[in-house]
Amino acid sequence: QVQLVESGGGLVQPGGSLRLSCAGSGNIFSIGAMGWYRQAPGKQRELVATITEDGSTNYADSVKGRFTISRDNAKNTVYLQMNSLKPGDTAVYYCNAYARPVGSFWPYNYWGQGTQVTVSS
């Protein structure tokens, strides 16, 4: 009923920038909190940043000052601007959203398919 599709990943040199996008589609009644998580090889998935419907943000300490999360509620889209990228940022990045489908009384937790970010020289 609700799909999240990420885009914008790729290969970038250390110190470079990337912008990830995640668009929600389907029979969406409303979307609440949205966020980005990442999973590096051999590691657990970890929170990168979250943003509430009214724009309040939260960041992992490792990305504070370098990454910026934002959203466009009219487009059901969340963004992650990543600057000053480091090799340690290499991971698959996943979009997450609490969305209420049309016809549902409750919201559900949805995940995108992930997009690879590789930081390497």
Short mmCIF file of all heavy atoms in Angstrom, two decimals, residues 1-2 27-30 99-108 110:
data_model
loop_
_atom_site.label_atom_id
_atom_site.label_comp_id
_atom_site.label_asym_id
_atom_site.label_seq_id
_atom_site.Cartn_x
_atom_site.Cartn_y
_atom_site.Cartn_z
N GLN A 1 0.82 -1.21 0.00
CA GLN A 1 0.00 0.00 0.00
C GLN A 1 0.85 1.25 0.00
O GLN A 1 0.47 2.26 -0.57
CB GLN A 1 -0.90 0.01 1.23
CG GLN A 1 -2.01 -1.02 1.18
CD GLN A 1 -2.85 -0.96 2.43
OE1 GLN A 1 -2.32 -1.05 3.54
NE2 GLN A 1 -4.14 -0.81 2.27
N VAL A 2 1.97 1.21 0.69
CA VAL A 2 2.89 2.35 0.75
C VAL A 2 4.28 1.86 0.36
O VAL A 2 4.74 0.85 0.87
CB VAL A 2 2.94 2.97 2.15
CG1 VAL A 2 3.99 4.08 2.21
CG2 VAL A 2 1.56 3.51 2.54
N ASN A 27 -1.10 4.48 -1.63
CA ASN A 27 -2.31 5.02 -1.01
C ASN A 27 -1.99 5.56 0.37
O ASN A 27 -2.29 4.94 1.38
CB ASN A 27 -3.39 3.94 -0.94
CG ASN A 27 -3.84 3.50 -2.31
OD1 ASN A 27 -3.95 4.29 -3.23
ND2 ASN A 27 -4.09 2.20 -2.45
N ILE A 28 -1.38 6.75 0.39
CA ILE A 28 -0.93 7.35 1.63
C ILE A 28 -1.95 8.35 2.15
O ILE A 28 -2.32 9.29 1.45
CB ILE A 28 0.42 8.07 1.43
CG1 ILE A 28 1.49 7.08 0.97
CG2 ILE A 28 0.85 8.75 2.73
CD1 ILE A 28 2.80 7.73 0.57
N PHE A 29 -2.40 8.14 3.38
CA PHE A 29 -3.27 9.12 4.02
C PHE A 29 -2.43 10.20 4.70
O PHE A 29 -2.71 11.39 4.57
CB PHE A 29 -4.18 8.44 5.03
CG PHE A 29 -5.10 9.39 5.75
CD1 PHE A 29 -6.26 9.84 5.13
CD2 PHE A 29 -4.81 9.86 7.02
CE1 PHE A 29 -7.12 10.73 5.77
CE2 PHE A 29 -5.66 10.74 7.67
CZ PHE A 29 -6.80 11.18 7.05
N SER A 30 -1.41 9.77 5.42
CA SER A 30 -0.51 10.72 6.08
C SER A 30 0.81 10.04 6.39
O SER A 30 0.88 8.81 6.48
CB SER A 30 -1.13 11.25 7.37
OG SER A 30 -1.32 10.22 8.31
N ALA A 99 3.84 5.66 8.24
CA ALA A 99 2.82 6.16 7.32
C ALA A 99 1.49 5.48 7.59
O ALA A 99 1.43 4.30 7.93
CB ALA A 99 3.26 5.92 5.88
N ARG A 100 0.46 6.25 7.40
CA ARG A 100 -0.90 5.72 7.57
C ARG A 100 -1.53 5.56 6.20
O ARG A 100 -1.75 6.56 5.50
CB ARG A 100 -1.72 6.69 8.43
CG ARG A 100 -3.13 6.23 8.72
CD ARG A 100 -3.85 7.25 9.60
NE ARG A 100 -5.29 7.06 9.57
CZ ARG A 100 -6.16 7.89 10.13
NH1 ARG A 100 -5.72 8.98 10.75
NH2 ARG A 100 -7.44 7.65 10.05
N PRO A 101 -1.76 4.33 5.78
CA PRO A 101 -2.39 4.14 4.47
C PRO A 101 -3.85 4.60 4.48
O PRO A 101 -4.50 4.63 5.53
CB PRO A 101 -2.31 2.62 4.26
CG PRO A 101 -1.31 2.13 5.25
CD PRO A 101 -1.39 3.06 6.41
N VAL A 102 -4.35 4.93 3.33
CA VAL A 102 -5.76 5.27 3.20
C VAL A 102 -6.59 4.07 3.66
O VAL A 102 -6.33 2.93 3.29
CB VAL A 102 -6.09 5.62 1.74
CG1 VAL A 102 -7.60 5.78 1.56
CG2 VAL A 102 -5.36 6.88 1.31
N GLY A 103 -7.59 4.34 4.51
CA GLY A 103 -8.46 3.28 4.98
C GLY A 103 -7.98 2.61 6.25
O GLY A 103 -8.68 1.77 6.81
N SER A 104 -6.77 2.96 6.72
CA SER A 104 -6.24 2.37 7.93
C SER A 104 -6.38 3.33 9.10
O SER A 104 -6.16 4.53 8.96
CB SER A 104 -4.77 2.01 7.75
OG SER A 104 -4.20 1.58 8.97
N PHE A 105 -6.73 2.80 10.26
CA PHE A 105 -6.82 3.64 11.45
C PHE A 105 -5.45 3.89 12.05
O PHE A 105 -5.23 4.91 12.70
CB PHE A 105 -7.73 2.96 12.49
CG PHE A 105 -8.00 3.80 13.70
CD1 PHE A 105 -8.91 4.84 13.65
CD2 PHE A 105 -7.32 3.57 14.90
CE1 PHE A 105 -9.15 5.63 14.78
CE2 PHE A 105 -7.56 4.34 16.02
CZ PHE A 105 -8.48 5.38 15.96
N TRP A 106 -4.51 2.93 11.83
CA TRP A 106 -3.18 3.01 12.44
C TRP A 106 -2.10 3.28 11.41
O TRP A 106 -2.20 2.87 10.27
CB TRP A 106 -2.87 1.69 13.14
CG TRP A 106 -3.84 1.32 14.20
CD1 TRP A 106 -4.80 0.37 14.14
CD2 TRP A 106 -3.95 1.91 15.49
NE1 TRP A 106 -5.51 0.32 15.32
CE2 TRP A 106 -5.01 1.26 16.17
CE3 TRP A 106 -3.25 2.93 16.17
CZ2 TRP A 106 -5.38 1.58 17.47
CZ3 TRP A 106 -3.62 3.25 17.45
CH2 TRP A 106 -4.68 2.58 18.09
N PRO A 107 -0.98 3.91 11.85
CA PRO A 107 0.19 4.00 10.96
C PRO A 107 1.01 2.72 11.05
O PRO A 107 0.90 1.96 12.02
CB PRO A 107 0.95 5.19 11.54
CG PRO A 107 0.62 5.17 12.99
CD PRO A 107 -0.79 4.66 13.10
N TYR A 108 1.80 2.49 10.05
CA TYR A 108 2.70 1.35 10.01
C TYR A 108 4.12 1.83 9.72
O TYR A 108 4.32 2.91 9.17
CB TYR A 108 2.26 0.35 8.93
CG TYR A 108 0.92 -0.27 9.21
CD1 TYR A 108 -0.25 0.31 8.73
CD2 TYR A 108 0.81 -1.44 9.96
CE1 TYR A 108 -1.49 -0.25 8.98
CE2 TYR A 108 -0.43 -2.00 10.22
CZ TYR A 108 -1.57 -1.40 9.74
OH TYR A 108 -2.80 -1.96 10.00
N TYR A 110 7.42 1.61 7.63
CA TYR A 110 7.84 1.20 6.30
C TYR A 110 9.33 1.46 6.08
O TYR A 110 9.88 2.43 6.63
CB TYR A 110 7.04 1.94 5.23
CG TYR A 110 5.57 1.59 5.20
CD1 TYR A 110 4.66 2.34 5.94
CD2 TYR A 110 5.10 0.51 4.46
CE1 TYR A 110 3.31 2.03 5.93
CE2 TYR A 110 3.75 0.20 4.45
CZ TYR A 110 2.86 0.95 5.19
OH TYR A 110 1.52 0.63 5.18
#
